[in-house]
């Protein structure tokens, strides 16, 4: 049977610097040496190990919110050959707007910045609310949307989400009624 879950490494990159407000607009300047010797190696390790997805963080680095950072394409996909999908932290693309990072002026620009940087999955409403208009305005192209969708569906296919239930093995019969049962709750309390 296929695996039941995938792993997501987060938060790409330098998220640990964000120790106090204003966390949604934090944008440290980090030189290349520090990035490569301290902040990037953990992500390189998980990419080398075959992690399925990477989550970009709220913070910025060197003038770019991380979910709009050129490092997604140049380092993550380019240098390291990452083939999985990139997901935004929850609501991260909406923090591109003037009241936070002041990187994008509109939701359409924020959606385009995320997709064009290589964010395949937006955890939040920015893509749902604005990506069609971004496409109509010419801020993104259909090819970029297709590439993002292909990476997402590759992950879903690898999890057997479109396979017949009998191929999924002994756990295929489990449903919501099997979650948080009294037995599970009692065991959790014991642990």
């Amino acid at each position: 049977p296929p695996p039941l879950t995938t792993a997501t490494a987060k938060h790409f990159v330098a998220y640990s610097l964000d120790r106090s407000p204003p966390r949604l607009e934090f944008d440290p300047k980090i030189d290349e040496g520090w990035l490569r010797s301290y902040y990037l190696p953990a992500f390189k390790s998980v990419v080398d190990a075959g992690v399925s997805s990477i989550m970009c963080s709220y913070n910025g680095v060197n003038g770019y919110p991380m979910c709009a950072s050129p490092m997604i394409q140049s380092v993550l996909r380019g240098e390291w050959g990452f083939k999985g999908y990139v997901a935004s932290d929850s609501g991260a693309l909406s923090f591109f707007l003037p009241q936070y990072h002041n990187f994008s002026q509109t939701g359409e620009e924020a959606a385009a910045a995320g997709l064009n940087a290589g964010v395949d999955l937006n955890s939040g409403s920015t893509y749902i609310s604005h990506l069609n208009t971004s496409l109509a305005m010419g801020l993104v192209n259909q090819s970029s949307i297709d590439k993002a969708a292909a990476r997402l569906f590759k992950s879903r296919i690898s999890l057997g989400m479109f396979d017949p239930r009998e191929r999924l093995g002994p756990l295929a019969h489990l449903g919501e009624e099997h979650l948080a049962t009294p037995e599970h709750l009692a065991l959790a309390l014991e642990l």
Side-chain angles (χ1 to χ4, degrees):
L4 299 175
T5 62
T6 69
T8 299
K10 57 187 203 174
H11 294 94
F12 188 77
V13 64
Y15 188 74
S16 60
L17 286 174
D18 177 14
R19 299 204 187 281
S20 63
R23 69 181 297 235
L24 302 178
E25 59 194 74
F26 187 67
D27 184 7
K29 306 303 176 233
I30 305 172
D31 72 42
E32 186 81 10
W34 274 106
L35 276 170
R36 294 206 175 261
S37 65
Y38 187 75
Y39 294 103
L40 292 174
F43 289 97
K44 172 79 164 85
S45 295
V46 296
V47 168
D48 289 346
V51 73
S52 301
S53 64
I54 300 282
M55 179 178 283
C56 50
S57 56
Y58 292 125
N59 62 282
V61 170
N62 298 337
Y64 290 92
M66 282 312 304
C67 292
S69 174
M71 285 191 279
I72 295 171
Q73 297 290 6
S74 65
V75 176
L76 193 59
R77 296 200 194 281
E79 290 178 32
W80 300 347
F82 177 63
K83 301 291 185 218
Y85 68 90
V86 174
S88 74
D89 205 339
S90 186
L93 300 186
S94 64
F95 303 132
F96 292 4
L97 297 175
Q99 61 268 40
Y100 302 106
H101 281 289
N102 197 24
F103 187 78
S104 302
Q105 297 303 302
T106 66
E108 291 78 18
E109 289 177 2
L115 186 73
N116 291 333
V119 176
D120 304 304
L121 178 64
N122 168 224
S123 176
S125 62
T126 301
Y127 281 179
I128 291 170
S129 299
H130 302 290
L131 196 55
N132 280 337
T133 307
S134 299
L135 178 63
M137 294 170 67
L139 301 175
V140 298
N141 60 49
Q142 188 64 49
S143 173
S144 296
I145 294 171
D146 293 346
K147 286 178 187 173
R151 286 190 283 261
L152 293 169
F153 274 97
K154 179 181 175 191
S155 179
R156 295 183 72 189
I157 289 166
S158 76
L159 293 170
M161 294 177 117
F162 304 104
D163 292 351
R165 290 187 70 73
E166 60 273 5
R167 185 176 177 276
L168 300 181
L171 301 179
H173 72 282
L174 297 178
E176 286 187 38
E177 68 276 9
H178 296 96
L179 301 176
T181 65
E183 296 82 14
H184 295 147
L185 298 173
L187 179 60
L189 290 174
E190 285 179 35
L191 300 175

